[in-house]
Amino acid sequence: MNQDNHPAKSSIEKKFQRVALEKVARYRGLDRLTDFPRDLWQEMAAQGLFGICVPTAHKGHGKSFQTLVNAGKILTAAGGNMGVAMSWLLHEIVASWVIAAFGTANQKKQYLPPLAQGRKIACFAVSEPNVGAHPKHLSTTADKTSDGYVLNGEKTYLTNGPMADLFVVVAATGTTSGKKQFTAFIVSKTTPGLAITPPLEFPFLHPCPHGGIHLDNCRVTQEQILGEEGKAYEKIVLPFRTVEDTLMAGPMAGGLTFLFTQFIDQLNRASKRPDDTLVEAAAQLQCTMEALYAISKQMAAILETDMESDTLISLSLFFRAQAIELLEKIKELGKKTGMVPDQQTIAMQNDLSAVTRIAENVARIKLKKRGRSLFSTPDF
């Protein structure tokens, strides 16, 4: 085997492979659970699957975003479940990017070790009922007091919300020239005035839970401000989408790998002799799949140094479009060959479709912006 094309897995990647195969893949009914199993989360924590990019000074592994993408791909491809990867990844992003990048020294010391060890679960709380994350319509407020702020409002569609121990809450703290200014706060679930609302029921991404919080005169101190006061939307919320889209490419590549592997395995078990057309079609799918994985790693490498890079935006849009097309081609080839997908395969297909829809509007806006820059018509 060519060692350059198939490099040896790192110790972290080996851990992900083992846990995915022995724990995730063998967990019965995982794609039908609405709550993330605590025993599975604890097993992942015990095996060191959290804190991949958290600095070693704060009990993390201190690895790169590329390692995170590789781990996400392995977890999904070997485990056969996108929901587990989604919960794991969103927790990792809040810990290793939001808090690690914007937290004070005291905040990092207090929050990063338990997050990196999986003893605490983090959640990013921006979206609100009926308005999503649009800054003009966000109504959660943080009113200044003599010793801090009082939070009032409601957040929803929160990944890991029902099981989170702490929330990064984004709230309006004033206006400048008629434009809302937002500040982020680290708020524990035990804070008086914070209530976790009932979980939301989605027909996909099980067992990743989604829910919300209600804030009723929830008091926080000045020390709980995360990042620059009044700059949370520009500095944290907008870049968060880029970070999430980039790093989610790992689990997406893993999900496509899982589906392709299931298809080939089923054909082999059926002992059907493939004709040249099928052989070439399967090889083309594999080439596209491997190319997307290579792109996902390149995206992660760029994210390390320049998340506003035009190249990163281009690769992200290309990855998304090709992933959607590849998913449909795998499904189509399965139908043509008479392969009947099992429940796990159907769940993965639905999850991949759901993941690509999550950022559909954002991707369309980026494409329009890129397209308009190509034309010189003044009023275009």
Side-chain angles (χ1 to χ4, degrees), residues 317-362:
L317 292 170
F318 179 80
F319 180 96
R320 171 189 164 77
Q322 291 300 307
I324 293 172
E325 185 174 334
L326 181 57
L327 172 60
E328 293 307 313
K329 286 182 176 179
I330 293 174
K331 291 163 63 175
E332 181 182 349
L333 197 57
K335 290 179 181 179
K336 285 183 177 179
T337 53
M339 298 296 100
V340 180
D342 59 18
Q343 174 58 38
Q344 190 179 26
T345 298
I346 293 173
M348 181 63 78
Q349 291 174 349
N350 292 338
D351 288 351
L352 279 166
S353 295
V355 168
T356 58
R357 289 196 305 270
I358 289 174
E360 189 172 25
N361 288 336
V362 176

Side-chain angles (χ1 to χ4, degrees), residues 72-203:
K73 189 256 188 180
I74 293 169
L75 182 61
T76 314
N81 185 279
M82 183 67 73
V84 169
M86 175 69 85
S87 278
W88 163 81
L89 180 62
L90 268 293
H91 168 82
E92 290 291 275
I93 293 175
V94 177
S96 64
W97 185 72
V98 178
I99 295 179
F102 298 97
T104 63
N106 286 337
Q107 287 171 341
K108 294 176 185 179
K109 182 178 179 180
Q110 178 180 356
Y111 297 113
L112 287 182
L115 294 176
Q117 295 171 335
R119 293 185 286 110
K120 298 288 185 181
I121 301 172
C123 175
F124 194 48
V126 181
S127 295
E128 297 181 3
N130 303 316
V131 301
H134 195 296
K136 182 179 179 180
H137 303 299
L138 292 178
S139 60
T140 298
T141 58
D143 296 321
K144 198 168 182 58
T145 64
S146 59
D147 60 347
Y149 289 83
V150 175
L151 303 176
N152 283 284
E154 186 175 1
K155 298 293 183 179
T156 191
Y157 304 121
L158 309 183
T159 303
N160 293 337
M163 65 175 183
D165 298 291
L166 61 91
F167 299 84
V168 174
V169 179
V170 175
T173 49
T175 59
T176 300
S177 301
K179 183 179 180 181
K180 291 181 181 178
Q181 304 298 304
F182 295 91
T183 301
F185 302 86
I186 301 177
V187 188
S188 169
K189 73 172 182 178
T190 59
T191 305
L194 186 151
I196 297 177
T197 57
L200 301 171
E201 295 186 8
F202 291 147

Side-chain angles (χ1 to χ4, degrees), residues 303-315:
L303 187 67
E304 295 278 358
T305 58
D306 184 9
M307 68 173 56
E308 296 181 359
S309 165
D310 286 341
T311 301
L312 178 58
I313 295 174
S314 296
L315 289 176

